[in-house]
Amino acid sequence: MGQGGERRRPQPRDEELGAAVARAQDGDETAFAVAYRIVQPSLLGYLRGLVGEDAEDVAADAWLEIARDLGRFKGDGAGFRGWTATIARHRALDHLRRRRVRPRAAPLEQDALELPGRLSTHDQALETLSTERALELVRTLPRDQAEAVLLRVVVGLDGSAAARVLGKRPGAVRTAAHRGLKRLARQLGAQGVTDDGTRTLGEST
């Protein structure tokens, strides 16, 4: 895929999600429940990576805001994933400011680590991770890399969507994700992942 290799394939249920969101915006409460069930596992996994055991409380706050502002959302299923991740991130950062602690990695739910097919070598390396191993490795990454990896692998966003969530340039986020995934893959000894061009891990912003 060349330079576009960072772009992710659509998530398996994005079409169903987009349809559910559209119906929910028309007042269909059952459709909102469908959208919730599709998005919640990955959203909760992302929040566990930021706030640890407080993820469910933060997710609940995020869903209250999502429900309140649903009428303002415009986009498809993939766009809804990014929009909800942005809201969840804001709630997580608010929570962390109140607690006056830095974001920390925490165990990710196993189903949140299930990845769509036809992934890059870096993503394939993560498929071999157990939940505990994922925790140990993601915890070693600088924050920008950890968030980029969580948004790409757990939430399933492409580089541009992840950049919108983080309020950064797509290139910076793709670089952070690439470095983070490369470091994880290298630690796993994944075949086909080399150390050439390795730079200081804290460089990307």
Side-chain angles (χ1 to χ4, degrees):
M1 295 177 67
Q3 291 184 342
E6 288 290 336
R7 233 183 131 72
R8 299 190 65 78
R9 297 173 69 84
Q11 294 290 287
R13 302 183 70 184
D14 275 352
E15 187 174 339
E16 179 186 356
L17 176 58
V21 170
R23 293 196 307 273
Q25 288 180 313
D26 288 334
D28 186 335
E29 293 182 8
T30 301
F32 185 82
V34 170
Y36 172 87
R37 286 195 298 271
I38 293 172
V39 172
Q40 174 69 353
S42 61
L43 199 67
L44 193 58
Y46 173 54
L47 288 171
R48 285 187 191 282
L50 294 179
V51 300
E53 62 188 18
D54 296 328
E56 291 191 12
D57 291 340
V58 174
D61 289 342
W63 279 105
L64 286 174
E65 184 173 342
I66 291 164
R68 184 193 70 199
D69 295 343
L70 185 63
R72 291 168 35 196
F73 170 74
K74 290 181 174 59
D76 57 10
F80 187 74
R81 288 182 189 276
W83 184 67
T84 56
T86 300
I87 291 173
R89 182 174 190 266
H90 289 161
R91 297 288 69 75
L93 295 179
D94 287 345
H95 175 82
L96 291 168
R97 277 192 286 269
R98 287 194 299 271
R99 293 283 188 269
R100 293 188 176 185
V101 297
R102 291 172 61 85
R104 65 187 189 280
L108 304 177
E109 293 190 349
Q110 190 63 39
D111 61 352
L113 287 174
E114 291 179 3
L115 306 173
R118 294 192 179 184
L119 301 173
S120 70
T121 300
H122 306 83
D123 292 326
Q124 288 169 351
L126 287 176
E127 284 187 293
T128 67
L129 292 174
S130 67
T131 301
E132 285 303 312
R133 186 63 173 150
L135 165 62
E136 292 171 11
L137 294 181
V138 173
R139 184 180 283 146
T140 68
L141 298 176
R143 177 176 166 182
D144 64 330
Q145 293 180 21
E147 276 209 82
V149 168
L150 287 167
L151 286 170
R152 286 203 59 220
V153 177
V154 179
V155 182
L157 303 183
D158 63 22
S160 297
R164 286 192 292 272
V165 172
L166 297 173
K168 296 183 178 182
R169 293 180 181 276
V173 174
R174 280 192 288 266
T175 297
H178 175 78
R179 289 177 177 168
L181 288 169
K182 185 173 182 177
R183 179 174 177 176
L184 294 176
R186 189 166 60 244
Q187 291 183 19
L188 288 168
Q191 290 185 342
V193 179
T194 63
D195 293 326
D196 59 317
T198 300
R199 305 176 190 175
T200 303
L201 288 169
E203 273 182 37
S204 54
T205 57

